[in-house]
Amino acid sequence: MSWHIDSETLQRYATGTATSATAASAEAHLTGCAECRALLAPAVPAPRLDAIWAEVDRQVDLSSRPLAERLLTRAGVREDTARLLAVTPSLRGAWLTSILLAAVLAALAANVTDGTGRGMAIFLTLAPLLPVAGVALSYGPAADPAYELTLAAPYSVLRLVLLRSIAVVTCTVALTAIGALALADNGWQAVAWLLPALALSAATLALSVRTTPTWASAAVGTAWLCIVLVSRGSSQDELVFGPPGQVAALLLLAGAVLALLHFRSRFSYDTRRSS
Amino acid sequence: MTAVRVQDVTKSFGRTRALQGVTFSAGVGVTGLLGPNGAGKTTLLRMLATVLAPDSGSLQLLGRNPQDADDRLAIRRRLGYLPQEPGFHRGFSVFDFIDYVAILKELTDRQARHQEVRRVIDAVGLSDVAGRRIRALSGGMRRRVGVAQAILGEPELVILDEPTAGLDPEQRLRFRDLVSRIGEGRTVLLSTHMTEDVAALCPRVVVVDGGRTVFDGTPSALTGTADGRVWLAADRSALVALSLGSVQVLRRGASNGSSV
């Protein structure tokens, strides 16, 4: 190299005050001239260097993040929270796709057998079970390989459990609602699954303070199926899916939320009965 | 300060009594927890990691009571823990997984967190594979990932459950080096099957058998017998057979230390 950048231009480039044309030509020279690079390094103010480094770190980090995390961040979720959410098995694409498929198929089945009312009952029985299954796979030893580490970490387990299960229930309910659009019957029954779905999910969470989410959801799911079968056996469908059932679901929801608040500290320990 | 105080702690799972009154304490440095399979080592360490609550007895960690919610949070902020079977989100890269644990450890500022993640990855010598997915790592490398997350945030109390399990002899040597560095100025409790680990690493050793502490002292207080594999506590309180890969308590409270 026969020429070098004069100290004034170098200073301006280092502090980021050079015009873009000057900066471009300085940059072209710097890539080929070790001498000028050596002069440049100490001239860059430390805060500017830190800011540049932070931005590089951020860009590299963002581009390597999985799709789910990027979607969550774009939806306004904080990047650290997004990372904690994105590992949830029941928030993955494959799981959510199968939920949508199950809801649509149940709705189509309901249409085929319509007239007898049996089809609608199948949809209304199945729909509340979908978020329950999602909650079972939202945290705990079966869903989270790092469960043991999570317990020993200062991050509130209750907060993590609520974050994940609310995200799962919201997604599942939204997908089920999309599935319900395929129902031929658009009467009030098309939304009769919503309250039971929320109530059963909350009950699963409340039971999880004593056992694993897997067992809790199995217990809640079985209880729900028994109630539905018994009421069908005695031709009392209206009791479960009609107004009395809705009121009962609302009470269960309230009770489960209260129980959850009351026993919330138990999430802090391993909830398995044996080890 | 004595970071760990365990007094008469018991724990049952159903009808199985895993711990039947364990008492010991540990301060700065590496303390080894030795015992046969099923002795209750893991149950004890899980309690010290605040993951399990004792049925009875008292537990004090870093001067606080883990049964109290506020104290427990304070302990967890100063605690590092490597479980016996650390689970990994295997699709994550080494960096991303440790970053995930760092978030759980309340390192919310991204830049500071990433700096700390890089520091621990470097400390366990995994910088070259930081971008590799965990499922593509060897067992020994995964162990090191486990140790790396345990030292995030410079914890004062570090619990390592079987950190040398499944390592080849050369890896084990490097591991001892790492653990003794971690033990400088910190309280480290580690359980192991390997008597060589204890002899090389631990100024203190606690032997647990049948849910009870049967020996508590320096490794040299466990005196060797003829074949060098059966050790007898100097005070003749226990006869402990230690061989490669296993520990067997032959006699508890042996009064006249007869040979085996």
Side-chain angles (χ1 to χ4, degrees):
Chain A
M1 285 281 164
S2 53
W3 63 279
H4 293 293
I5 302 177
D6 62 89
S7 62
E8 198 192 325
T9 312
L10 197 71
Q11 198 59 39
R12 275 207 221 108
Y13 179 77
T15 51
T17 50
T19 63
S20 53
T22 317
S25 77
E27 227 152 71
H29 173 78
L30 282 163
T31 49
C33 178
E35 228 171 290
C36 286
R37 277 205 302 277
L39 287 174
L40 174 72
V44 183
R48 179 151 191 258
L49 208 57
D50 284 346
I52 292 172
W53 175 240
E55 186 55 21
V56 169
D57 185 68
R58 197 178 76 87
Q59 291 295 342
V60 169
D61 184 46
L62 288 183
S63 61
S64 68
R65 297 224 158 187
L67 180 67
E69 263 185 72
R70 271 182 283 159
L71 287 176
L72 284 165
T73 320
R74 202 165 299 169
V77 179
R78 265 174 44 182
E79 59 98 24
D80 49 345
T81 311
R83 174 143 284 186
L84 297 183
L85 276 176
V87 298
T88 315
S90 44
L91 278 179
R92 295 213 181 109
W95 175 267
L96 294 176
T97 310
S98 46
I99 290 292
L100 179 62
L101 219 62
V104 170
L105 287 178
L108 293 178
N111 297 342
V112 171
T113 53
D114 215 15
T116 59
R118 195 183 298 152
M120 197 57 176
I122 291 174
F123 183 82
L124 292 177
T125 307
L126 177 83
L129 292 177
L130 299 178
V132 169
V135 169
L137 281 177
S138 63
Y139 83 102
D144 191 345
Y147 176 62
E148 184 91 356
L149 292 178
T150 310
L151 288 175
Y155 197 93
S156 159
V157 184
L158 178 74
R159 186 180 144 84
L160 187 70
V161 167
L162 289 181
L163 269 175
R164 285 189 180 165
S165 44
I166 288 171
V168 166
V169 170
T170 308
C171 287
T172 312
V173 163
L175 292 172
T176 310
I178 293 174
L181 292 177
L183 283 172
D185 176 6
N186 286 326
W188 65 269
Q189 280 210 315
V191 290
W193 54 273
L194 185 58
L195 263 180
L198 296 178
L200 296 187
S201 305
T204 305
L205 270 184
L207 271 185
S208 308
V209 302
R210 292 294 314 216
T211 177
T212 62
T214 322
W215 282 110
S217 65
V220 167
T222 310
W224 169 246
L225 286 177
C226 287
I227 292 169
V228 170
L229 286 177
V230 166
S231 72
R232 272 204 79 76
S234 52
S235 309
Q236 304 280 306
D237 266 16
E238 279 296 296
L239 273 185
V240 180
F241 299 123
Q246 298 293 321
V247 172
L250 200 60
L251 289 176
L252 176 62
L253 180 60
V257 169
L258 287 178
L260 200 57
L261 288 175
H262 188 257
F263 293 111
R264 63 182 182 276
S265 64
R266 296 212 186 154
F267 277 117
S268 193
Y269 284 119
D270 190 343
T271 51
R272 281 171 287 189
R273 304 303 293 277
S274 62
S275 182
Chain B
M1 190 192 69
T2 311
V4 175
R5 277 179 206 279
V6 179
Q7 184 77 46
D8 271 332
V9 159
T10 67
K11 180 76 190 176
S12 299
F13 297 111
R15 286 189 185 157
T16 318
R17 298 189 66 190
L19 297 179
Q20 333 194 20
V22 170
T23 300
F24 78 98
S25 58
V28 171
V30 184
T31 300
L33 202 59
L34 212 56
N37 280 329
K41 294 185 306 264
T42 292
T43 303
L44 183 57
L45 289 184
R46 293 185 76 212
M47 251 173 223
L48 299 181
T50 73
V51 166
L52 273 185
D55 292 342
S56 70
S58 83
L59 208 57
Q60 211 185 44
L61 303 171
L62 300 164
R64 289 168 184 267
N65 172 18
Q67 309 265 60
D68 174 86
D70 292 337
D71 274 13
R72 188 165 59 238
L73 180 60
I75 295 166
R76 286 177 177 176
R77 286 189 170 136
R78 295 152 67 193
L79 173 80
Y81 173 42
L82 171 68
Q84 189 171 34
E85 285 165 24
F88 299 110
H89 293 286
R90 292 155 67 91
F92 269 154
S93 68
V94 172
F95 184 93
D96 285 349
F97 178 74
I98 296 176
D99 188 51
Y100 174 86
V101 181
I103 293 170
L104 291 173
K105 287 199 170 186
E106 296 182 321
L107 294 161
T108 41
D109 178 69
R110 186 188 23 229
Q111 215 190 337
R113 187 176 76 229
H114 285 183
Q115 213 166 350
E116 175 64 6
V117 170
R118 276 187 217 103
R119 183 189 72 83
V120 299
I121 290 177
D122 193 46
V124 299
L126 285 180
S127 298
D128 291 345
V129 295
R132 218 188 283 171
R133 283 178 197 272
I134 290 184
R135 64 165 157 255
L137 296 184
S138 69
M141 282 179 174
R142 264 182 231 166
R143 282 270 140 193
R144 282 195 266 166
V145 174
V147 174
Q149 63 78 27
I151 56 174
L152 273 170
E154 305 266 11
E156 289 158 65
L157 174 62
V158 180
I159 312 277
L160 306 171
D161 198 352
E162 301 268 1
T164 54
L167 296 185
D168 62 41
E170 195 226 344
Q171 286 173 326
R172 215 176 311 136
L173 281 178
R174 286 169 57 184
F175 233 84
R176 282 184 204 152
D177 195 43
L178 176 61
V179 171
S180 52
R181 260 186 289 140
I182 296 171
E184 286 164 14
R186 293 197 185 89
T187 303
V188 178
L189 263 158
L190 78 100
S191 75
T192 179
H193 275 97
M194 310 285 176
T195 56
E196 306 99 308
D197 286 346
V198 172
L201 273 174
C202 313
R204 271 278 304 293
V205 56
V206 175
V207 181
V208 182
D209 182 49
R212 289 199 172 91
T213 30
V214 294
F215 176 82
D216 181 351
T218 60
S220 54
L222 283 168
T223 54
T225 61
D227 64 355
R229 294 167 75 194
V230 178
W231 292 358
L232 171 70
D235 64 353
R236 311 210 154 180
S237 59
L239 202 54
V240 187
L242 306 164
S243 58
L244 287 175
S246 78
V247 180
Q248 213 180 352
V249 176
L250 299 172
R251 190 173 303 172
R252 211 180 293 148
S255 53
N256 49 9
S258 52
S259 62
V260 191

